[in-house]
Amino acid sequence: MSVLSSLAQLEAVATGRAQPLATVRHCHVTAEPLVMVPLKLAGEAAAPLAVMLGTERAEPTLLVVPQPRNRDLRFAFAADLAKLVLEYIESSRGATEELPPGKDGEERVRYGDAPQLLVPNRAGVGFLRMLGRSTRFRRTDGPYAVDPAVPRLGRWLTWFADRHDKPGACLLMTMTETLRLHWATGQSSLEDGNLAALLGWIDPPDGLDGPAAAARAEDPVTCPPAGPATDPTFDNEVLAPAIAAFDQSGDDRAEERVRSVLDGQLRPTWELMWDAIGLLRALPEGASVAARWERDRDSFTWYHSTFDEGHPQARRDPAVRAARRLHDLERAQDAYDAQRAFDDPLVMAEHRLAGQAFGGVVTESEPTRLDESGKRPKLRPHLRVATEDPLQLDVGTTVCDAARPSLKGKIIEFGAAGEVLLELTGGMGRKLVPEPGVVPEPGQRVCFTSLGTGSWGAAKFPEREDTPWTHGGPPEDYVPTDEDAAEEWS
């Protein structure tokens, strides 16, 4: 936790209200996200109990498994869920746009939009990931056959869960983590995992402060858990008798009873999800969000267009894919941290307190200075910046202007009076005279940071078939078996 976040938490405790950690929204929220509030059977890893989903607050769809231990009912539920999710995915593509040819000269296209799934918390993502693993290997013919939509759903849920792991991606988002990125409350991070308590601090009802609203959210009757877990009291006193009644009769009345009690558990969280969406939409979107959403659309376009040619994702990544994935995630995290800081002065303030950035006033500027030590002169302006920020940077460190990241330089020396001498090295144009207004002038406030969106270069990895023997050699292609088709959900 940073100094600024800690200070914001203390301020939240003192005022009884959550404090902002951002001035802009660092995520994309589509016009019609698919909100999903799942529930699972207690004591089971992936036995679905119910899910409330939809793209309109006033028109949710409730799917229920009246007896989660019944395999046929589970897969009937999965088939119904698949039809809704796959229909949403197909309707979210938008118009296809043509892009300039890539480096290989091939024409490229991108869908104008992409689907976005929103769940209440991280456990919801884990449930969707497990549900994807439990369904993507199922066969559509032979013994234990399921509806053809079920394995398609499993592959899509696995893909969404994988995209969630990538920093900055917005195709599958958890509401609690997204809200915590923008507000600090006066409670612990564990308590922030409760969506009702978190919203109680951010937007408490009239007449209540944050602590009182959060305390009221702990009442499982008025504010049931936000899924996928259920309240033990509800399980024992309400749900178990309803399921037992269905086991005995199996009629429509007994099933409707199960639906009714589960609707009461899911409805409060459903309303909270839309309240949270409204809070996020009220924030202006950060400058770099649109570019990250374009990359999400690129990923969706590629996966959708190659879906029928591919195979179910492996249970475990082979060595090359695992190494490539880890490298991509580290690069994405590095770029995401920098982009958030460039977009938001509050986020940049955290890096200034950590000594990775400094802000101040330009005291001297030589915009037309040339470095003539080589064969050709180079434009190398000097800037002297007076700062009071604590510095943890060394001489020779490459930095960039937070307001214009393309303007790069390096630290030449530190003065005794808290001054930093910079030599600008790029982002000023190709001539020996800088573009007008690019080089900061004396008296101008600036902020320079060592953060960079491209500080990680792309690594080279062997092809799948060239996996070295030290890492198991080339992996075998996966072929579904009867064992996979019959496997219980776990």
Side-chain angles (χ1 to χ4, degrees):
M1 181 180 292
S2 69
V3 175
L4 192 62
S5 299
S6 300
L7 181 61
Q9 277 202 310
L10 293 174
E11 186 71 16
V13 172
T15 61
R17 194 74 180 258
Q19 299 299 304
L21 291 175
T23 60
V24 297
R25 174 164 38 89
H26 294 284
C27 62
H28 179 80
V29 180
T30 65
E32 290 188 346
L34 181 63
V35 176
M36 302 180 69
V37 184
L39 279 183
K40 69 180 182 67
L41 186 66
E44 300 286 343
L49 186 60
V51 62
M52 184 171 283
L53 73 164
T55 58
E56 297 289 340
R57 182 172 191 160
E59 299 179 2
T61 298
L62 177 62
L63 301 178
V64 170
V65 186
Q67 175 46 277
R69 294 183 177 87
N70 184 304
R71 183 182 188 276
D72 293 336
L73 293 179
R74 288 203 306 267
F75 281 105
F77 163 88
D80 292 339
L81 178 62
K83 290 178 174 62
L84 293 175
V85 174
L86 296 178
E87 180 182 351
Y88 170 72
I89 290 173
E90 291 300 322
S91 66
S92 301
R93 288 186 291 165
T96 301
E97 57 181 341
E98 295 185 3
L99 302 176
K103 294 181 179 180
D104 53 5
E106 292 187 5
E107 295 183 358
R108 298 185 300 149
V109 296
R110 176 197 295 149
Y111 294 149
D113 207 351
Q116 183 179 57
L117 309 187
L118 302 180
V119 294
N121 47 39
R122 179 176 283 274
V125 174
F127 177 78
L128 294 185
R129 192 191 303 273
M130 185 66 74
L131 185 60
R133 180 192 181 280
S134 301
T135 55
R136 70 178 186 265
F137 297 113
R138 302 297 169 175
R139 287 183 172 179
T140 58
D141 55 12
Y144 310 107
V146 299
D147 189 288
V150 171
R152 295 179 69 88
L153 171 69
R155 291 173 60 189
W156 274 110
L157 290 182
T158 301
W159 180 79
F160 276 108
D162 286 346
R163 289 298 300 177
H164 170 76
D165 294 338
K166 186 169 184 177
C170 297
L171 292 164
L172 172 59
M173 295 197 305
T174 61
M175 198 54 67
T176 51
E177 291 182 341
T178 304
L179 291 175
R180 289 181 59 197
L181 190 67
H182 297 83
W183 285 276
T185 69
Q187 59 187 9
S188 69
S189 58
L190 181 63
E191 292 169 314
D192 281 342
N194 184 319
L195 182 60
L198 182 57
L199 283 173
W201 278 91
I202 298 173
D203 188 25
D206 294 338
L208 295 178
D209 60 5
R216 192 174 73 170
E218 295 178 359
D219 184 353
V221 177
T222 57
C223 293
T230 50
D231 177 65
T233 302
F234 165 78
D235 290 340
N236 296 327
E237 299 181 3
V238 181
L239 181 61
I243 293 179
F246 176 81
D247 286 338
Q248 291 177 1
S249 64
D251 58 19
D252 292 342
R253 287 185 58 187
E255 182 176 351
E256 185 57 35
R257 179 184 173 186
V258 177
R259 288 182 60 86
S260 177
V261 299
L262 291 176
D263 182 274
Q265 286 289 292
L266 291 168
R267 186 74 60 168
T269 301
W270 173 264
E271 298 295 335
L272 291 174
M273 288 289 289
W274 289 99
D275 290 342
I277 292 172
L279 289 172
L280 291 173
R281 283 177 171 162
L283 294 173
E285 188 174 86
S288 64
V289 172
R292 291 198 295 274
W293 183 243
E294 284 185 357
R295 288 193 287 274
D296 283 339
R297 286 159 51 202
D298 284 333
S299 179
F300 169 63
T301 302
W302 178 84
Y303 190 71
H304 183 275
S305 60
T306 60
F307 186 89
D308 292 330
E309 304 169 9
H311 302 282
Q313 297 91 334
R315 295 180 185 275
R316 295 180 179 84
D317 286 337
V320 173
R321 188 176 187 277
R324 184 181 288 113
R325 174 177 166 77
L326 177 60
H327 177 71
D328 290 344
L329 292 178
E330 290 174 335
R331 291 184 66 199
Q333 185 67 63
D334 185 63
Y336 181 50
D337 291 341
Q339 289 166 359
R340 289 184 59 232
F342 293 148
D343 288 351
D344 195 332
L346 264 182
V347 178
M348 182 60 76
E350 294 189 4
H351 296 285
R352 290 175 63 179
L353 288 171
Q356 293 180 307
F358 62 92
V361 179
V362 177
T363 57
E364 295 180 19
S365 176
E366 298 181 58
T368 58
R369 177 183 176 274
L370 299 178
D371 179 1
E372 302 185 78
S373 59
K375 294 182 178 180
R376 296 181 179 179
K378 300 177 182 178
L379 180 63
R380 292 293 184 266
H382 272 186
L383 286 182
R384 194 174 294 274
V385 180
T387 181
E388 298 180 356
D389 292 339
L391 289 173
Q392 298 293 330
L393 303 176
D394 298 323
V395 171
T397 300
T398 299
V399 294
C400 65
D401 187 353
R404 192 186 296 110
S406 60
L407 184 62
K408 301 184 183 298
K410 64 179 180 180
I411 298 175
I412 301 300
E413 66 178 22
F414 296 104
E419 291 186 332
V420 182
L421 179 62
L422 299 174
E423 181 179 87
L424 301 184
T425 58
M428 298 166 288
R430 296 181 176 273
K431 302 178 182 178
L432 292 180
V433 178
E435 297 290 335
V438 172
V439 178
E441 301 176 351
Q444 184 175 339
R445 292 200 64 86
V446 295
C447 179
F448 282 87
T449 176
S450 60
L451 298 171
T453 57
S455 56
W456 281 61
K460 292 184 178 180
F461 295 94
E463 294 298 326
R464 183 174 183 271
E465 57 272 15
D466 296 328
T467 303
W469 66 269
T470 53
H471 292 72
E476 297 180 0
D477 291 333
Y478 170 75
V479 179
T481 63
D482 289 341
E483 228 174 84
D484 291 327
E487 182 187 21
E488 289 298 317
W489 289 16
S490 60

